[in-house]
């Protein structure tokens, strides 16, 4: 009997909003599925941005979400295989989230092993998938700490704006703390420039500032994700950039990112 390898779990994290975390989670995940990988996406944000952008427009009406599964883990209840998992037409699976996750995050604070509840939920799924991608909320709260404790690596989308390098410092401190206290295997997958207007000098300058500050110790992906109308529009269409605009710059850039991630794996 072939024992399947455990999934590589990647947390997509930046405490700043609007850096392209959800867009990256969806398109990287579907891009990996197009390469024949079995992929699970996990929405760990109570706003349910990933759930909505993948076509489930009313996340608050879903009967089973990540908060249901984490509540079971907190109460030592077993989670049946496949419970709560939605199947997307483009070949990936999704554990959705909704506003209930905000209440669960508050409850987590008083829970034993509070940093490891998401890991418990995902442990059984790790045998079923090649990749698990976690779309994190724009904060460094308890759900993000759970995502970092459950992940093998961290992918950090960064918009090349002024102060981008400064915001990274706080995030990297948290990643280092999780590595030391809860997850000694946690690595940094890399920094990914998103919403990149590469023809502007300002964008070039800001990317260079991040490279100067972190390039010696952290992989910075060669591939950047351009700022395009098509990528902005996919969120309301419920499909990836590969379905929406397969020949555009956005699809090309995510395809190249998929190859970089596969080369790291």
């Amino acid at each position: 009997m072939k024992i399947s390898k455990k999934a590589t779990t990647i947390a997509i994290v930046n405490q700043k909003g609007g850096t392209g975390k959800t867009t990256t989670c969806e398109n990287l995940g579907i891009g990996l599925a197009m390469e024949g990988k079995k992929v699970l996406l996990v929405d760990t944000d109570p706003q349910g941005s990933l759930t909505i952008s993948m076509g489930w427009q009313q996340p608050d009406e879903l009967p089973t979400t990540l908060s249901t599964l984490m509540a079971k883990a907190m109460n030592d209840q077993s989670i049946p295989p496949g419970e709560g998992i939605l199947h997307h037409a483009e070949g990936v699976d999704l554990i959705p989230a909704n506003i209930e996750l905000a209440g669960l995050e508050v409850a987590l604070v008083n829970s034993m092993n509070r940093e490891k509840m998401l890991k418990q939920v995902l442990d059984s799924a790790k045998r079923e998938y090649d990749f698990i991608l976690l779309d994190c909320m724009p904060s460094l709260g308890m759900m993000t700490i759970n995502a970092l404790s459950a992940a093998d690596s961290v992918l950090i989308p960064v918009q090349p704006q002024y102060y981008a390098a400064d915001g990274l410092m706080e995030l990297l401190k948290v990643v280092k703390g999780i590595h030391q206290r809860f997850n000694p295997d946690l690595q940094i997958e890399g920094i990914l420039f998103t919403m990149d207007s590469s023809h502007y000098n300002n964008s070039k300058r800001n990317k260079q500032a991040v490279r100067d500050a972190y390039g010696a110790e952290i992989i910075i992906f060669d591939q950047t994700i351009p700022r395009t109308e098509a990528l902005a529009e996919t969120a309301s269409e419920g499909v990836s950039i590969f379905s929406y605009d397969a020949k555009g710059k956005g699809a090309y850039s995510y395809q190249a990112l998929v190859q970089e991630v596969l080369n790291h794996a």
Side-chain angles (χ1 to χ4, degrees):
M1 188 179 87
K2 181 173 174 281
I3 297 174
S4 63
K5 128 185 168 13
K6 280 193 168 189
T8 299
T9 304
I10 303 174
I12 298 171
V13 183
N14 192 323
Q15 76 273 32
K16 289 179 71 171
T19 58
K21 288 186 291 291
T22 299
T23 304
T24 295
C25 189
E26 178 175 359
N27 290 301
L28 175 57
I30 289 171
L32 287 164
M34 287 164 66
E35 294 290 326
K37 302 298 178 188
K38 202 152 188 280
V39 181
L40 173 66
L41 306 183
V42 184
D43 192 344
T44 75
D45 184 347
Q47 291 179 26
S49 306
L50 179 64
T51 304
I52 293 165
S53 80
M54 294 191 73
W56 284 274
Q57 296 290 337
Q58 305 291 332
D60 293 345
E61 291 172 15
L62 290 167
T64 307
T65 61
L66 182 59
S67 61
T68 320
L69 304 181
M70 288 184 69
K72 283 191 165 187
M74 284 164 69
N75 295 317
D76 288 328
Q77 293 171 284
S78 65
I79 298 168
E83 184 179 9
I85 290 177
L86 303 174
H87 307 289
H88 190 271
E90 290 180 79
V92 296
D93 289 347
L94 170 73
I95 297 180
N98 60 21
I99 198 65
E100 288 172 16
L101 200 55
L104 185 115
E105 188 174 31
V106 173
L108 267 177
V109 173
N110 299 315
S111 170
M112 290 279 287
N113 287 334
R114 58 191 183 181
E115 300 84 7
K116 298 285 183 72
M117 287 300 145
L118 180 58
K119 186 177 190 299
Q120 263 180 250
V121 169
L122 297 178
D123 268 352
S124 57
K126 283 197 94 155
R127 291 186 293 277
E128 306 298 321
Y129 294 93
D130 299 306
F131 286 91
I132 298 175
L133 305 186
L134 312 176
D135 184 31
C136 296
M137 62 199 295
S139 88
L140 295 174
M142 193 46 75
M143 276 310 301
T144 300
I145 287 167
N146 262 263
L148 293 170
S149 298
D152 299 305
S153 65
V154 187
L155 192 157
I156 306 169
V158 172
Q159 207 177 332
Q161 291 175 321
Y162 193 54
Y163 291 136
D166 298 349
L168 275 169
M169 196 177 291
E170 189 188 349
L171 174 56
L172 293 170
K173 265 189 207 155
V174 171
V175 171
K176 193 174 180 182
I178 299 288
H179 173 82
Q180 288 169 342
R181 292 181 60 200
F182 307 118
N183 186 357
D185 298 327
L186 185 64
Q187 307 285 325
I188 294 179
E189 185 78 20
I191 292 170
L192 172 71
F193 290 118
T194 56
M195 303 184 198
D196 183 20
S197 311
S198 53
H199 49 287
Y200 288 126
N201 284 334
N202 193 30
S203 181
K204 286 178 188 165
R205 253 198 317 273
N206 295 330
K207 282 190 291 190
Q208 195 53 51
V210 172
R211 285 194 184 100
D212 291 345
Y214 300 107
E217 51 191 294
I218 296 173
I219 289 169
I220 296 177
F221 288 105
D222 295 329
Q223 184 56 52
T224 68
I225 307 300
R227 184 186 286 281
T228 74
E229 196 107 333
L231 277 170
E233 288 165 357
T234 53
S236 57
E237 297 298 322
V239 295
S240 75
I241 192 66
F242 304 111
S243 284
Y244 188 73
D245 182 24
K247 292 193 164 43
K249 278 194 297 192
Y252 170 80
S253 62
Y254 273 112
Q255 223 151 14
L257 176 66
V258 165
Q259 295 308 321
E260 283 199 66
V261 169
L262 287 172
N263 290 340
H264 291 182

